[in-house]
Amino acid sequence: PMEVPMPFWDGWRQLVKSVNPDAYLSGEVWDRADVWLDGRRFDAVMNYRFADAAIAWIGFEDRKITPTELDQRLAELRLAYPAEATYALMNLVDSHDTDRMVSMFLNPDRRYDADNREQDNEAYLNRKPDPLHYRRARLAALLQMTYVGAPMIYYGDEVGMWGPDDPSNRKPMLWSDLGPYERKEDRVDLEHLAHYRAVGELRRSHPALRTGAFETLAADDEQDLLVFLREDAGERLLVALNASGRPARFVLPDGEWEAVHGDHRGAQELVVPAIDGVVLVQRR
């Protein structure tokens, strides 16, 4: 949209909304999008600022950011945009213009969408990522499904597709019934797919994850743990995400909590496994 004069989009929105007031208008804007989300142009944008922060927390190593910095970056965006836009933002982690998420984790500590084309960067590792990188990808998917906004899954991420930026990131989709493929590592990762299905169903089953208010409970830098609440009139959910390589602990607020994703045995102390997350619902 930045390559088209701004007045065009003002008239374009008016025309589209006159035809269908419920039409969802989104633009490919990579930077802060305040001027695009003021009610005169788009309903949402591709939330690359979310992607940048999420990858830096979950996938970086030497340049890894803390949960506190992640929380601050996300809070800035929530304050910058109207709530109507915030809840409709396309929260992605990769796309047709980047390397695949799991390959980002295999090649960490780079500026987002930089030095990720195999033909331009001989040091870029273009091989199947390790189980660790897929665990990080599953944590990122859980963050997408529990945070404020609309999760955007780039095709193939859910079955474990990997690779650098153009043209590898636009390979044909992998399907189980079309295998086996020429490369044995090109296959549908059923465990990975099951996770995406599970966290997608989690979001679908709990309205608070789609439209509920957001409140940070803890950004524990020592444990690399982020804990937040999603709440609406009908339910209250607690989301605890651990990006570290060791279990993290968190003392739950008063009340009766039951796990809807991950494991919790009913004690007031929650133990979150390494590179994983737990989602609890409070019984009222």
Side-chain angles (χ1 to χ4, degrees):
M2 297 80 70
E3 298 173 7
V4 176
M6 188 74 77
F8 169 85
W9 297 113
D10 298 344
W12 180 78
R13 178 184 179 88
Q14 294 174 18
L15 175 62
V16 173
K17 294 292 187 177
S18 72
V19 176
N20 179 7
D22 293 327
Y24 173 70
L25 310 182
S26 185
E28 184 182 356
V29 178
W30 285 64
D31 297 316
R32 274 276 295 271
D34 308 48
V35 298
W36 299 101
L37 299 174
D38 61 2
R40 292 180 292 172
R41 296 166 190 107
F42 296 137
D43 300 315
V45 294
M46 297 172 71
N47 195 3
Y48 278 105
R49 297 304 91 206
F50 168 87
D52 189 11
I55 294 296
W57 178 51
I58 295 172
F60 278 12
E61 294 176 358
D62 295 336
R63 297 178 54 230
K64 178 181 175 65
I65 67 171
T66 63
T68 295
E69 183 171 348
L70 172 72
D71 188 50
Q72 290 173 344
R73 289 195 196 181
L74 297 182
E76 287 178 5
L77 292 177
R78 294 196 304 274
L79 291 171
Y81 304 152
E84 295 85 351
T86 295
Y87 279 79
L89 288 173
M90 300 169 68
N91 290 341
L92 72 163
V93 288
D94 57 355
S95 76
H96 63 292
D97 280 328
T98 74
D99 42 347
R100 291 275 179 176
M101 171 172 48
V102 283
S103 290
M104 293 182 190
F105 296 155
L106 176 63
N107 296 269
D109 301 322
R110 293 170 298 108
R111 184 169 52 86
Y112 188 83
D113 194 36
D115 301 321
N116 59 0
R117 287 163 54 94
E118 185 181 28
Q119 59 270 42
D120 300 331
N121 179 12
E122 294 181 355
Y124 189 94
L125 298 178
N126 183 16
R127 63 167 176 81
K128 186 177 178 64
D130 301 326
L132 169 65
H133 307 122
Y134 281 95
R135 288 176 60 194
R136 288 176 174 167
R138 290 193 284 273
L139 180 60
L142 180 58
L143 173 61
Q144 285 181 283
M145 294 295 175
T146 54
Y147 185 63
V148 177
M152 174 185 162
I153 309 301
Y154 186 46
Y155 84 92
D157 280 358
E158 72 277 20
V159 299
M161 291 181 66
W162 50 275
D165 201 348
D166 295 345
S168 294
N169 59 347
R170 306 186 188 197
K171 290 179 179 179
M173 178 68 179
L174 294 178
W175 302 102
S176 294
D177 59 351
L178 296 183
Y181 289 85
E182 183 176 349
R183 299 190 309 181
K184 63 179 181 180
E185 60 266 34
D186 285 341
R187 59 178 178 80
V188 172
D189 186 326
L190 295 178
E191 179 185 5
H192 207 61
L193 178 59
H195 174 81
Y196 270 84
R197 285 175 169 164
V199 295
E201 176 62 20
L202 175 71
R203 184 180 179 88
R204 190 196 68 80
S205 301
H206 295 281
L209 295 179
R210 303 193 302 273
T211 59
F214 178 95
E215 177 187 355
T216 301
L217 288 186
D220 187 334
D221 294 350
E222 183 176 347
Q223 296 193 93
D224 209 8
L225 178 72
L226 179 68
V227 184
F228 55 86
L229 288 176
R230 299 298 310 277
E231 183 174 9
D232 65 11
E235 63 179 355
R236 190 182 196 208
L237 282 88
L238 181 148
V239 180
L241 306 176
N242 178 9
S244 80
R246 60 189 184 280
R249 299 178 181 275
F250 178 76
V251 177
L252 294 171
D254 292 339
E256 182 181 351
W257 296 90
E258 178 181 338
V260 290
H261 178 83
D263 185 42
H264 176 56
R265 300 298 181 181
Q268 283 305 113
E269 183 180 61
L270 175 65
V271 179
V272 187
I275 314 178
D276 205 345
V278 177
V279 181
L280 308 177
V281 63
Q282 186 173 34
R283 296 304 179 190
R284 297 183 176 180

